[in-house]
Amino acid sequence: MYLADSRSTGSRGTEAAAVPSTVLALGAVSLITDVSSEMVTAVLPLYVVAGLGLSPLGFGLLDGINNGVGALVRLAGGHLADRGGRRHKVVAGLGYGLSALCKPLLLLAHTLPVLSAVLAVDRTGKGLRTAPRDAMISLATEPAHRGRAFGVHRAMDTTGALLGPLVAFAVLRATVDGYDAVFAVSGCVAVLGVLVLVLFVPRSIDAPATAVRRPPPPEPVQPPRLREAIGLLRRPELRRLTVCAALLGLTTVSDSFLYLLLQRAGNLPAHLFPLLPLGTAACFLLLAVPVGALADRAGRRRLFLAGHGVLLLGYGLVLSPWHGVPAVIAVLVLHGTFYAATDGVLAAATAAVVPARQQGAGQALMGTGQALARFACSLAFGAAWSLWGGRTALAVTAAALAVSAVVAVFVLRGTDEAPITDEVPA
């Protein structure tokens, strides 16, 4: 069932709305889960550094390793979801459940080894659920409207990212045992997200009724094997898109580094630093749906490349002599626009070049390649900052991003997003 009005299209009859109820249900799950996750993310650096005595460098390494774990697990999650008749909801539910279980376990994590283990399991859950969730969005939505559908989902997800830190700080101010209270409330919210997934997301995701259906195969289709999942990269369209996403990811500075540079360039007081991510998230929230709809009309690859051009402009503003609050706001608007033009748009572009029976694996391959590339960029940028200073490191990264964007334009030039078949090229 689709939620929105229908419009007449002459001889083609009535066209269904762009955003299925399944997408809205998954958006609600992501919103609730992000409230839970961002509550922990907002207080974890202070808890680890001030409470457990870990150095900032040690925390950065811990966070990087756990992000790497999540990226690698994403491949397994996508492949498992595609096997056995599209078990996307089952695998996604396992991922959400693992993350929900980890929140109360943080109450027992008073040493670095235990904390590392809990965070690793939490990242494993995130890695398991991401590709199946995006696959369900792709399968439930007409191909022509996937950009808007992913935009709606990302907007709801970002709403949770905005609310999470605010709830965490409210809990900290209202309780005596602040950190423990945040972890306990976060766990309860995470359980609510799992319940919404179980109750409101259908177990089997079918193509929309208005979509053009191919005749059923004469014989039962075997579940895709792992070798076939990796073999998706033999598809020229997916290979080009993955290479470009990874190349651009290698020159995308992590949010934490960018906010730190922005705070220093704008001479912002330290107590205003937590507001910087909220500025990016607010802009992302406002633009995710209209930019996703624009990508459906103008081309998703084109919007994806344009988003990196916007990011490059943001880097230029950070390096420019223009400082102060207006400059900070301008950079945050550009940063949020970058995410609106790349996050859900890339997922929609990936869905267009991957067979329906392997949507989970295709989304996982793309997401893992991009995540590992950005992780490598974070390590390289941190080393460059230590050697040359933050501004010089950003200038070098901006130059590399400009070169990467030009290369990506040539690699993706002439490609299209026509419907594909389920056969993998030999």
Side-chain angles (χ1 to χ4, degrees):
M1 182 176 181
Y2 283 67
L3 301 183
D5 59 337
S6 302
R7 55 180 182 274
S8 176
T9 56
S11 61
R12 294 170 59 187
T14 302
E15 181 180 351
V19 183
S21 57
T22 297
V23 175
L24 298 180
L26 288 169
V29 174
S30 293
L31 188 157
I32 296 169
T33 302
D34 249 36
V35 171
S36 171
S37 298
E38 294 303 322
M39 286 180 65
V40 174
T41 301
V43 302
L44 193 61
L46 291 176
Y47 175 70
V48 171
V49 174
L52 302 183
L54 188 65
S55 69
L57 178 61
F59 174 75
L61 181 60
L62 175 67
D63 185 64
I65 292 174
N66 287 324
N67 280 320
V69 169
L72 293 175
V73 172
R74 189 178 303 186
L75 286 173
H79 176 64
L80 290 174
D82 289 334
R83 292 188 60 84
R86 295 180 182 174
R87 294 181 296 186
H88 300 96
K89 180 179 177 179
V90 175
V91 178
L94 177 61
Y96 282 110
L98 282 176
S99 294
L101 177 64
C102 288
K103 301 305 186 299
L105 290 180
L106 289 171
L107 295 169
L108 308 175
H110 300 302
T111 62
L112 182 58
V114 176
L115 179 64
S116 300
V118 172
L119 292 178
V121 175
D122 178 70
R123 295 296 183 177
T124 298
K126 181 177 177 61
L128 281 175
R129 70 181 183 250
T130 300
R133 180 202 65 201
D134 286 349
M136 284 190 283
I137 296 173
S138 300
L139 293 169
T141 309
E142 293 184 25
H145 299 309
R146 281 173 176 158
R148 179 180 298 173
F150 276 103
V152 169
H153 175 268
R154 296 312 195 256
M156 297 178 73
D157 183 269
T158 305
T159 301
L162 277 168
L163 295 175
L166 299 178
V167 174
F169 287 123
V171 172
L172 283 176
R173 290 178 62 88
T175 58
V176 177
D177 299 324
Y179 293 123
D180 288 348
V182 168
F183 298 151
V185 173
S186 174
C188 295
V189 175
V191 171
L192 177 61
V194 175
L195 289 176
V196 173
L197 176 74
V198 171
L199 297 176
F200 295 101
V201 176
R203 183 179 182 86
S204 178
I205 309 295
D206 297 320
T210 57
V212 177
R213 297 179 183 270
R214 288 188 288 270
E219 297 179 359
V221 178
Q222 295 296 324
R225 295 171 296 178
L226 180 60
R227 184 170 59 184
E228 293 179 23
I230 302 299
L232 282 173
L233 291 176
R234 293 200 301 270
R235 293 181 175 271
E237 296 295 318
L238 181 62
R239 184 170 63 246
R240 291 180 185 180
L241 193 59
T242 302
V243 167
C244 290
L247 180 63
L248 293 168
L250 284 171
T251 53
T252 301
V253 177
S254 74
D255 295 353
S256 298
F257 282 128
L258 183 62
Y259 295 144
L260 187 57
L261 286 168
L262 188 59
Q263 187 264 339
R264 294 185 177 184
N267 294 318
L268 295 179
H271 68 274
L272 295 180
F273 184 82
L275 297 180
L276 298 181
L278 297 181
T280 294
C283 185
F284 185 9
L285 172 63
L286 293 174
L287 295 179
V289 176
V291 171
L294 177 62
D296 288 333
R297 298 192 300 270
R300 293 151 192 163
R301 295 175 180 83
R302 188 176 291 116
L303 261 293
F304 178 70
L305 294 174
H308 285 84
V310 170
L311 180 64
L312 184 60
L313 181 58
Y315 290 170
L317 284 182
V318 175
L319 295 169
S320 73
W322 184 36
H323 301 309
V325 174
V328 170
I329 295 175
V331 172
L332 293 178
V333 169
L334 292 172
H335 199 218
T337 304
F338 157 72
Y339 276 116
T342 57
D343 191 0
V345 171
L346 179 60
T350 302
V353 295
V354 175
R357 65 192 289 262
Q358 291 181 283
Q359 279 291 323
Q363 296 289 348
L365 284 171
M366 178 66 67
T368 299
Q370 186 183 57
L372 291 178
R374 289 183 175 179
F375 172 57
C377 179
S378 295
L379 295 180
F381 189 85
W385 187 326
S386 301
L387 291 174
W388 306 327
R391 289 180 63 84
T392 302
L394 183 62
V396 172
T397 305
L401 175 58
V403 173
S404 299
V406 172
V407 172
V409 168
F410 280 97
V411 171
L412 295 178
R413 186 174 57 179
T415 59
D416 57 48
E417 298 177 13
I420 60 173
T421 62
D422 282 357
E423 288 80 18
V424 179

